[in-house]
Amino acid sequence: MSAVKRIAVLTSGGDSQGMNAAVRAVVRSALFHGLEVFGVQRGYAGLLKDDLFPMDLRSVGDIIQRGGTILQTARCKEFMTLEGQQRGAEVLRSRGIDGLVVIGGEGSYQGAYKLSKLGIKTMGLPGTIDNDIPFTDFTIGFDTAVSIVVDAVNKLRDTMTSHERASVVEVMGRHSGDIALYAGLASGAETIIVPEVPYDIDAIAARMHDNFKAGKRHSIVIVAEGAASGNDIAEAITARSGIEPRVTVLGHIQRGGSPTHNDRILASRLGDFAVRKLMEGDSSKGCGIVSGELVATDIETVVSTKKPFNMDLYNLALRLSQ
Amino acid sequence: MSAVKRIAVLTSGGDSQGMNAAVRAVVRSALFHGLEVFGVQRGYAGLLKDDLFPMDLRSVGDIIQRGGTILQTARCKEFMTLEGQQRGAEVLRSRGIDGLVVIGGEGSYQGAYKLSKLGIKTMGLPGTIDNDIPFTDFTIGFDTAVSIVVDAVNKLRDTMTSHERASVVEVMGRHSGDIALYAGLASGAETIIVPEVPYDIDAIAARMHDNFKAGKRHSIVIVAEGAASGNDIAEAITARSGIEPRVTVLGHIQRGGSPTHNDRILASRLGDFAVRKLMEGDSSKGCGIVSGELVATDIETVVSTKKPFNMDLYNLALRLSQ
Amino acid sequence: MSAVKRIAVLTSGGDSQGMNAAVRAVVRSALFHGLEVFGVQRGYAGLLKDDLFPMDLRSVGDIIQRGGTILQTARCKEFMTLEGQQRGAEVLRSRGIDGLVVIGGEGSYQGAYKLSKLGIKTMGLPGTIDNDIPFTDFTIGFDTAVSIVVDAVNKLRDTMTSHERASVVEVMGRHSGDIALYAGLASGAETIIVPEVPYDIDAIAARMHDNFKAGKRHSIVIVAEGAASGNDIAEAITARSGIEPRVTVLGHIQRGGSPTHNDRILASRLGDFAVRKLMEGDSSKGCGIVSGELVATDIETVVSTKKPFNMDLYNLALRLSQ
Amino acid sequence: MSAVKRIAVLTSGGDSQGMNAAVRAVVRSALFHGLEVFGVQRGYAGLLKDDLFPMDLRSVGDIIQRGGTILQTARCKEFMTLEGQQRGAEVLRSRGIDGLVVIGGEGSYQGAYKLSKLGIKTMGLPGTIDNDIPFTDFTIGFDTAVSIVVDAVNKLRDTMTSHERASVVEVMGRHSGDIALYAGLASGAETIIVPEVPYDIDAIAARMHDNFKAGKRHSIVIVAEGAASGNDIAEAITARSGIEPRVTVLGHIQRGGSPTHNDRILASRLGDFAVRKLMEGDSSKGCGIVSGELVATDIETVVSTKKPFNMDLYNLALRLSQ
């Protein structure tokens, strides 16, 4: 016997690639298990306006490969108040909805936590490109974002090699350096600057200078926006070495594009898992994959824990980019 | 103190994307640790011809993003004989090489095992798109191959939707259905046919028929070459349902293209790990990543074990492709 | 004063990338000029079933980048009869529609011609990947199809270089070798086999043999399906030279994917042009771009003329692929 | 009888995709016609240092698909002086080189013109992504640059739709708005800002405001760097409408990546044409393609003419992006 009969799903916060695949998995898994499912338009803002609609198999046809989210997202200040949260719980209850899957980042998780206090069973799915949510090795969208950065660096490399140039690429990641780390390791960047590790701009400039003298034909610095701006890093390098790196700020294209197969698979696994957890009566959990295993962790723990930075990968990147 | 002073690296068997990233990691990690490194041209065939050359930092510059292998590969019957193997060990010894990293599939691993019996320390890295080597969750090249299949299915989906059609896509995988499984799950294929699971062509045809009647606008079957040919499946469906699926045989394009960031990172981690294992005196091991951890397993065990098929993912794919 | 007040648009025959961009251009240009527009579902089949719906600015929002056609296509035997055509003209007249834009290949043009005889003003837009419609340098979809083939050959090249191999790639083009020609020239294929030029398989095999002996590391043959099958060519080469080329049959993926900017621009220009021609009172014309200029040619002339093959490009390809 | 016996080829100025395809065409066409060919490293700078090397068929193997230029480019102040130019001509003469093909932008053309005054037969090929060289419809690299911008806008569109947002994309083009124009038309951008057409920021902001009120879910502004900076446009829109567009500055990734088939074909045709023109005794000409025909125009005329802007396409873009 399932602990929930009718559930809803919403996407919230910044969108990320694979959110649609997650919505699809929630809907199809729920239907497979005999539940009813509703979609909420525009996150918590839509919830407060009772902007819900029933979803069937076809509602999520042909969306697994689409970027963005068919449910749209929006910011919602009102939902940060107790009153807003109570109104949200009421809306769900008035429709007989007893379970909710929230796909988004930490702010979205907080909302799910609040609703669970008000009697709604909730599950959080990590939908953000930043990979900054703990208790999951990867967030939905991260793999695609890294692939976009790596593709951009591939392009830069061509033109830099022709000119013997340096490039600074600023990537997303306010609190997490993971996009910079993974993209930097994968693209053979000589320097990776992340919020989690202090950097020595003098050493960076000196190394770049030495490399060019030793015959290296290009040099790539990848910097997470949370550590410094690309322009600042470029200026600091110029001041110290005379080298004038080109700056690329990739911006929101990192959030777009068709999700990679990894993001689609991750989203599919997590969406299905969240439904099954709700059916088991679980609530207020953040779902994730750790070492290949599906896990559900108390949202309170998730939002109060800082995700550890992978120093092994960081050191490997240094070792291999000589 | 390192157990090896001078090592060599070769790629063998069918090539796969990320082999260059693995070669780069072996070379740079070795140099970083103070070893000398040689490259062997064309796998075991080149080894027997003493076709080796010293590699430095620049030898592997700008290759992390390249498909194929700069060391090339070739088949070599002679090396299957004891005489051939003894000749190979002699070549290495005559150059003072005491360690060898072999990047390839199971046949390549066998060669590494034989050389280890003759006194050369060896490490195997799983380089094959098929993901059919056990004791590693993923092989180098698999992620890229899946991404190519998924990209092809994305394209097919566009044109099928316009015509209300069915497609059968034949993908690589002689003994392993993993490419079909991962690509099928990620692209929302209605049917996935793999060597590991018996299939019921009557049920497949009937389901396709019912889906079209229920308004589904396209239907995708992904079949691993090891289970059946795409043409045979299409003909069997036509015979049973009158539906005439289009057949696509992706062939060797699945082995090409720039490696994904995941394959580059996997190759980088494994290449570095293999060098460190050789330095520790280890030998005749297949390197892999299991649940995120680097592991080294006796090659004898690796080649005598059948990789288990992931039935959880298979069932998830069925559940979500209704 | 416009010669038409209310027009319809349909897509017919095999779909091609850029059809959506053409539909968008027809709709938006018509609305811009104060006309009403209807969409016809599933080509002539939908026309006979009176499956039409009014279109506004939003109907074609966010489709310029989509493969396939939102109007869908279908075969329709009934429309090949005079009765069917009369029924089609009646449907249009009963809705007060006096102009029709047909996007498709030669079969679709024939239908437009027939309707024009029955008093409906018609315009044909060349929507087919084959580039086999005369009086236009390029058809809508051709540029994207070539880009897909070239991308596939890029991938093959990687893996062939690692193995010193030959590849035969079979591409679409029943009566036209243009996809083979453009993709072959752009990817540096050594051999291009097209329906328009007789080929000498002995010479091809001999040249391939000589090239390998001279140190060339790979050899690519691109063959249009209208000239020969990839498998037949490969077998003939093996029989003559012992070389065993790998065969890739790209199939319907050549019809999918997001249209290139060139196809979108071509479709936009032609869609807008067709509307303006209808407004001027013109009818039964095939629209095209010749040497950069928009032209409208009698459909009777279009369907009775064989598009000339570009021997200059063919000879250039030979000259440069030594 | 050929007017030249031994020619050289160099790439100069900013690199562009397809330069390698042009180098390949020059080399292979020259060899095909029985000439000798030398490559010059790093443009005019390398010429002054006598940094030349003989090229054969294999020198240009496997480069048609590569971004950048294997000959590299560099700025060279010395070559702007008469002394430098004389030294350059001397280097060529001392090696018996009587013809030179220069691939680059207007600055590069000036150099070719100067050398022609000093007795070297020269041909210029338009290698720049900006499409700002007259007497050719397209420059080598332009098609690829547009494709990169369009791909980026595709990605932005996904994420904007989820959030109902506006985006400003700054693209390259100091004196020419062609990248903005073609990419804007192809991606359905609502606003295209180019140096050639004055823009009314009040009207732009008002239209954006109205569109959002009318239910449009996203709005894209593409601005050529020569007209304004993306940041300035975004701030001006915010000041007038309260809408806060996201800014993306694509930067040098527009110059990288594998060239499209169109750039490869254009480069192949022009490279071959330049060689044939040199053989005919022609000199100091800029080669181009106008309405599909190969043409050679006096470099003096080329560098003193402003390329006309395509107002028809610009107006079409406005008409279709309602």
Side-chain angles (χ1 to χ4, degrees):
Chain A
M1 262 270 309
S2 168
V4 291
K5 291 273 180 312
R6 186 180 283 180
I7 67 169
V9 54
L10 64 79
T11 54
S12 165
D15 66 328
S16 73
Q17 311 95 334
M19 279 189 163
N20 279 328
V23 170
R24 173 182 178 269
V26 168
V27 170
R28 294 222 168 144
S29 180
L31 294 171
F32 178 86
H33 290 104
L35 310 183
E36 285 179 273
V37 205
F38 283 75
V40 183
Q41 292 283 13
R42 302 185 200 196
Y44 294 116
L47 177 61
L48 296 193
K49 289 186 191 153
D50 195 17
D51 199 354
L52 280 76
F53 64 105
M55 299 185 82
D56 62 15
L57 288 177
R58 291 295 89 84
S59 314
V60 293
D62 244 346
I63 67 166
I64 194 172
Q65 80 279 14
R66 297 251 163 91
T69 157
I70 58 165
L71 296 180
Q72 300 191 265
T73 78
R75 307 278 163 196
C76 182
K77 277 189 190 167
E78 192 187 344
F79 195 74
M80 291 178 174
T81 65
L82 179 60
E83 251 186 331
Q85 293 150 10
Q86 284 170 334
R87 166 95 187 101
E90 234 165 83
V91 166
L92 292 169
R93 247 189 308 267
S94 74
R95 284 178 173 272
I97 293 169
D98 42 12
L100 176 70
V101 179
V102 171
I103 309 168
E106 296 222 338
S108 317
Y109 273 41
Q110 296 278 14
Y113 172 66
K114 300 298 187 184
L115 284 172
S116 75
K117 292 281 174 204
L118 298 168
I120 304 293
K121 290 191 168 51
T122 60
M123 283 287 144
L125 296 189
T128 163
I129 64 168
D130 284 359
N131 207 31
D132 58 355
I133 297 180
F135 300 100
T136 189
D137 290 345
F138 299 110
T139 56
I140 298 166
F142 173 67
D143 193 72
T144 309
V146 173
S147 78
I148 290 170
V149 174
V150 167
D151 181 60
V153 176
N154 272 358
K155 289 186 169 60
L156 284 173
R157 203 186 266 277
D158 291 332
T159 181
M160 281 189 301
T161 305
S162 306
H163 289 275
E164 309 189 330
R165 262 184 200 151
S167 257
V168 173
V169 182
E170 180 188 315
V171 302
M172 284 190 163
R174 238 168 277 171
H175 309 290
S176 164
D178 274 12
I179 292 179
L181 171 62
Y182 281 74
L185 173 53
S187 55
E190 283 75 14
T191 307
I192 299 170
I193 301 178
V194 294
E196 293 91 344
V197 185
Y199 62 95
D200 175 348
I201 191 72
D202 294 316
I204 290 169
R207 188 182 177 205
M208 194 177 282
H209 183 80
D210 292 350
N211 276 340
F212 278 122
K213 279 188 65 172
K216 217 165 187 183
R217 283 169 59 185
H218 51 68
S219 191
I220 297 164
V221 178
I222 297 194
V223 52
E225 59 179 344
S229 88
N231 283 316
D232 289 351
I233 294 293
E235 281 167 23
I237 289 172
T238 306
R240 278 157 185 80
S241 68
I243 298 167
E244 297 183 9
R246 305 293 168 125
V247 179
T248 299
V249 179
L250 287 175
H252 276 68
I253 63 171
Q254 292 165 84
R255 277 212 192 140
S258 183
T260 60
H261 62 274
N262 290 303
D263 273 329
R264 299 185 199 178
I265 292 174
L266 179 65
S268 298
R269 294 180 69 187
L270 289 174
D272 178 70
F273 180 65
V275 169
R276 289 187 284 117
K277 278 285 153 193
L278 285 178
M279 291 175 67
E280 292 170 9
D282 221 337
S283 180
S284 197
K285 293 285 194 306
C287 301
I289 289 192
V290 177
S291 300
E293 295 299 314
L294 294 158
V295 296
T297 309
D298 274 333
I299 281 185
E300 284 177 278
T301 311
V302 173
V303 297
S304 62
T305 306
K306 168 89 184 132
K307 189 169 194 169
F309 184 69
N310 192 330
M311 284 305 300
D312 282 353
L313 279 194
Y314 182 81
N315 288 325
L316 175 64
L318 289 185
R319 209 145 67 226
L320 299 185
S321 67
Q322 304 163 69
Chain B
M1 261 264 313
S2 167
V4 292
K5 292 271 179 313
R6 186 179 285 179
I7 68 169
V9 55
L10 64 78
T11 52
S12 167
D15 65 328
S16 73
Q17 310 95 333
M19 280 189 162
N20 279 328
V23 171
R24 172 181 177 269
V26 168
V27 170
R28 295 221 168 145
S29 180
L31 295 170
F32 178 87
H33 290 104
L35 310 183
E36 286 180 273
V37 206
F38 283 75
V40 183
Q41 292 282 14
R42 301 185 201 196
Y44 294 116
L47 177 61
L48 296 192
K49 289 186 190 154
D50 195 18
D51 199 354
L52 281 74
F53 65 105
M55 299 184 83
D56 62 15
L57 288 178
R58 292 295 88 85
S59 315
V60 291
D62 243 347
I63 67 166
I64 195 172
Q65 81 279 16
R66 296 251 162 91
T69 157
I70 60 165
L71 296 179
Q72 300 192 266
T73 77
R75 309 276 162 195
C76 182
K77 278 191 189 166
E78 193 186 343
F79 195 74
M80 291 179 172
T81 65
L82 180 60
E83 253 186 330
Q85 294 149 10
Q86 284 170 334
R87 167 92 187 104
E90 235 166 81
V91 165
L92 291 168
R93 249 190 306 269
S94 74
R95 286 178 172 272
I97 293 169
D98 42 12
L100 176 70
V101 179
V102 171
I103 309 167
E106 296 222 339
S108 318
Y109 272 41
Q110 296 277 12
Y113 171 67
K114 301 297 187 181
L115 284 171
S116 74
K117 293 280 173 204
L118 298 167
I120 305 293
K121 289 189 169 50
T122 60
M123 283 286 146
L125 295 189
T128 164
I129 64 167
D130 282 1
N131 206 31
D132 58 354
I133 297 180
F135 301 100
T136 190
D137 289 345
F138 299 110
T139 57
I140 299 166
F142 173 67
D143 193 72
T144 309
V146 173
S147 77
I148 290 170
V149 175
V150 168
D151 181 58
V153 177
N154 273 356
K155 289 186 169 59
L156 284 175
R157 203 187 266 278
D158 291 332
T159 180
M160 279 189 303
T161 305
S162 305
H163 289 276
E164 311 191 328
R165 261 182 201 153
S167 258
V168 173
V169 182
E170 181 189 314
V171 303
M172 283 190 163
R174 238 167 277 170
H175 308 291
S176 165
D178 274 12
I179 292 180
L181 171 63
Y182 281 73
L185 174 54
S187 54
E190 282 75 15
T191 308
I192 300 172
I193 301 178
V194 295
E196 293 91 343
V197 184
Y199 63 95
D200 175 348
I201 191 72
D202 294 316
I204 290 170
R207 188 182 177 205
M208 193 177 282
H209 182 80
D210 293 349
N211 277 339
F212 278 122
K213 278 188 65 174
K216 216 163 187 184
R217 282 168 60 185
H218 50 68
S219 190
I220 298 164
V221 178
I222 298 195
V223 53
E225 60 180 344
S229 88
N231 283 315
D232 289 352
I233 294 294
E235 280 167 24
I237 288 172
T238 306
R240 279 157 185 79
S241 68
I243 298 167
E244 298 184 8
R246 305 293 169 127
V247 178
T248 299
V249 179
L250 287 174
H252 277 68
I253 64 171
Q254 293 166 80
R255 277 211 191 142
S258 183
T260 60
H261 63 274
N262 290 305
D263 272 329
R264 299 185 198 180
I265 291 174
L266 178 66
S268 298
R269 294 180 69 186
L270 289 175
D272 178 71
F273 180 66
V275 169
R276 289 187 284 118
K277 278 286 152 190
L278 285 177
M279 291 175 68
E280 291 169 11
D282 220 339
S283 179
S284 196
K285 293 284 194 307
C287 302
I289 290 192
V290 178
S291 300
E293 295 299 312
L294 294 158
V295 296
T297 309
D298 274 333
I299 281 185
E300 282 177 279
T301 310
V302 174
V303 298
S304 61
T305 306
K306 169 88 185 134
K307 190 170 195 168
F309 184 70
N310 192 330
M311 284 304 299
D312 282 353
L313 279 193
Y314 182 81
N315 288 326
L316 176 63
L318 289 187
R319 209 146 64 226
L320 299 186
S321 67
Q322 303 164 69
Chain C
M1 261 270 307
S2 168
V4 291
K5 291 273 179 314
R6 186 179 285 180
I7 67 170
V9 55
L10 64 79
T11 53
S12 165
D15 65 327
S16 74
Q17 311 95 333
M19 279 189 163
N20 280 328
V23 171
R24 171 182 179 268
V26 168
V27 170
R28 294 222 168 145
S29 180
L31 295 171
F32 178 87
H33 290 103
L35 310 183
E36 286 179 273
V37 205
F38 282 75
V40 183
Q41 291 282 14
R42 302 186 201 195
Y44 293 115
L47 177 61
L48 296 193
K49 289 187 191 152
D50 195 17
D51 198 355
L52 280 76
F53 64 106
M55 298 185 83
D56 62 15
L57 288 178
R58 292 295 88 85
S59 314
V60 292
D62 243 347
I63 67 166
I64 195 172
Q65 80 280 14
R66 297 251 163 92
T69 157
I70 58 165
L71 296 180
Q72 300 192 265
T73 77
R75 308 279 163 194
C76 182
K77 276 190 190 165
E78 192 187 344
F79 195 73
M80 291 178 173
T81 65
L82 179 60
E83 253 187 329
Q85 293 149 10
Q86 283 170 335
R87 166 95 186 102
E90 234 165 83
V91 166
L92 291 169
R93 248 190 307 267
S94 73
R95 285 178 172 273
I97 293 169
D98 42 12
L100 175 70
V101 179
V102 171
I103 309 168
E106 297 222 338
S108 317
Y109 273 40
Q110 296 277 13
Y113 172 66
K114 300 297 187 183
L115 284 172
S116 75
K117 292 280 174 205
L118 298 167
I120 305 293
K121 291 193 167 49
T122 61
M123 283 288 145
L125 296 189
T128 162
I129 65 167
D130 283 1
N131 206 33
D132 58 355
I133 297 180
F135 301 101
T136 189
D137 290 344
F138 299 109
T139 56
I140 299 167
F142 173 66
D143 193 71
T144 308
V146 173
S147 77
I148 290 170
V149 174
V150 167
D151 181 61
V153 176
N154 272 358
K155 289 186 169 58
L156 284 174
R157 204 186 265 278
D158 291 331
T159 180
M160 280 189 301
T161 305
S162 306
H163 289 275
E164 309 189 331
R165 261 185 200 152
S167 258
V168 173
V169 182
E170 181 189 315
V171 302
M172 284 190 164
R174 238 168 276 171
H175 308 291
S176 164
D178 275 12
I179 292 178
L181 171 62
Y182 281 74
L185 173 53
S187 55
E190 282 74 15
T191 307
I192 298 171
I193 301 177
V194 294
E196 293 91 343
V197 185
Y199 63 96
D200 174 348
I201 192 71
D202 294 315
I204 290 169
R207 189 183 177 204
M208 194 178 281
H209 182 80
D210 293 350
N211 277 340
F212 278 122
K213 278 188 65 173
K216 216 163 186 183
R217 282 168 60 186
H218 51 67
S219 190
I220 298 163
V221 178
I222 298 195
V223 53
E225 59 179 344
S229 88
N231 283 316
D232 288 352
I233 294 294
E235 280 167 23
I237 288 172
T238 306
R240 279 156 184 80
S241 68
I243 298 166
E244 298 183 8
R246 304 293 168 127
V247 179
T248 299
V249 180
L250 287 174
H252 277 67
I253 63 170
Q254 293 166 82
R255 279 214 191 138
S258 183
T260 60
H261 62 274
N262 290 303
D263 273 329
R264 300 185 199 180
I265 291 174
L266 178 65
S268 297
R269 293 180 69 187
L270 289 175
D272 177 71
F273 180 65
V275 169
R276 289 188 284 117
K277 278 286 153 193
L278 285 178
M279 291 176 68
E280 292 168 10
D282 221 338
S283 180
S284 197
K285 293 284 194 306
C287 302
I289 289 192
V290 177
S291 300
E293 295 298 314
L294 293 158
V295 296
T297 309
D298 274 332
I299 282 185
E300 282 177 280
T301 311
V302 174
V303 297
S304 62
T305 306
K306 168 90 185 132
K307 190 169 194 170
F309 184 70
N310 192 330
M311 284 304 300
D312 282 353
L313 279 193
Y314 181 82
N315 288 325
L316 176 63
L318 289 186
R319 210 145 67 226
L320 299 186
S321 67
Q322 303 164 69
Chain D
M1 262 267 310
S2 167
V4 292
K5 292 272 180 312
R6 186 179 283 180
I7 67 169
V9 55
L10 64 78
T11 52
S12 166
D15 66 328
S16 74
Q17 311 95 332
M19 280 189 163
N20 279 327
V23 171
R24 171 182 179 269
V26 168
V27 170
R28 294 222 168 144
S29 180
L31 295 171
F32 178 86
H33 290 104
L35 310 183
E36 285 180 273
V37 205
F38 283 74
V40 184
Q41 292 282 13
R42 300 184 201 197
Y44 294 115
L47 177 61
L48 296 192
K49 289 185 190 154
D50 195 17
D51 198 356
L52 280 75
F53 66 105
M55 298 185 83
D56 62 14
L57 288 178
R58 293 294 88 85
S59 315
V60 292
D62 242 347
I63 66 166
I64 194 172
Q65 80 280 16
R66 297 250 163 91
T69 156
I70 59 165
L71 297 179
Q72 300 192 265
T73 78
R75 308 277 162 195
C76 181
K77 278 190 189 166
E78 194 188 342
F79 195 74
M80 291 181 173
T81 66
L82 179 60
E83 252 186 331
Q85 293 149 11
Q86 284 170 334
R87 167 92 187 104
E90 235 165 80
V91 165
L92 291 169
R93 249 189 306 269
S94 73
R95 286 179 172 270
I97 293 169
D98 41 12
L100 176 70
V101 179
V102 171
I103 309 167
E106 296 223 338
S108 317
Y109 272 42
Q110 296 277 14
Y113 172 66
K114 301 297 186 183
L115 284 171
S116 75
K117 293 279 173 204
L118 298 167
I120 305 293
K121 290 191 168 50
T122 60
M123 284 286 146
L125 296 190
T128 163
I129 64 166
D130 283 0
N131 206 31
D132 57 355
I133 298 180
F135 301 101
T136 190
D137 290 344
F138 299 109
T139 56
I140 299 167
F142 172 67
D143 193 71
T144 309
V146 173
S147 77
I148 290 170
V149 174
V150 168
D151 181 59
V153 176
N154 272 357
K155 288 185 169 59
L156 284 175
R157 203 187 265 277
D158 290 332
T159 180
M160 279 189 302
T161 304
S162 304
H163 289 276
E164 309 190 329
R165 260 183 201 152
S167 257
V168 173
V169 182
E170 180 188 315
V171 303
M172 283 190 163
R174 238 167 277 171
H175 308 291
S176 165
D178 273 12
I179 292 179
L181 171 62
Y182 280 75
L185 174 53
S187 54
E190 281 75 14
T191 308
I192 299 172
I193 300 178
V194 295
E196 293 91 343
V197 185
Y199 62 95
D200 175 348
I201 191 71
D202 293 317
I204 291 170
R207 190 183 176 204
M208 193 178 283
H209 182 79
D210 293 350
N211 277 339
F212 277 122
K213 278 187 65 172
K216 218 164 186 183
R217 283 168 60 183
H218 50 67
S219 189
I220 297 164
V221 178
I222 298 195
V223 53
E225 60 180 343
S229 88
N231 283 315
D232 289 352
I233 294 294
E235 281 167 23
I237 288 172
T238 306
R240 279 156 185 80
S241 67
I243 298 168
E244 298 184 8
R246 306 292 168 125
V247 179
T248 298
V249 180
L250 287 175
H252 277 68
I253 63 171
Q254 292 165 82
R255 277 212 191 139
S258 183
T260 59
H261 63 274
N262 290 304
D263 273 328
R264 299 185 199 180
I265 291 173
L266 178 66
S268 297
R269 294 180 69 186
L270 290 174
D272 178 71
F273 180 65
V275 169
R276 289 187 283 120
K277 279 285 151 192
L278 285 177
M279 291 176 68
E280 292 169 10
D282 221 338
S283 180
S284 197
K285 292 285 194 307
C287 301
I289 290 193
V290 178
S291 300
E293 296 298 314
L294 293 157
V295 296
T297 309
D298 275 333
I299 281 185
E300 283 176 279
T301 311
V302 174
V303 297
S304 61
T305 306
K306 169 88 184 131
K307 190 170 194 167
F309 184 70
N310 192 331
M311 283 304 300
D312 282 353
L313 280 193
Y314 181 82
N315 288 325
L316 177 63
L318 289 186
R319 208 144 67 226
L320 299 186
S321 67
Q322 305 163 67

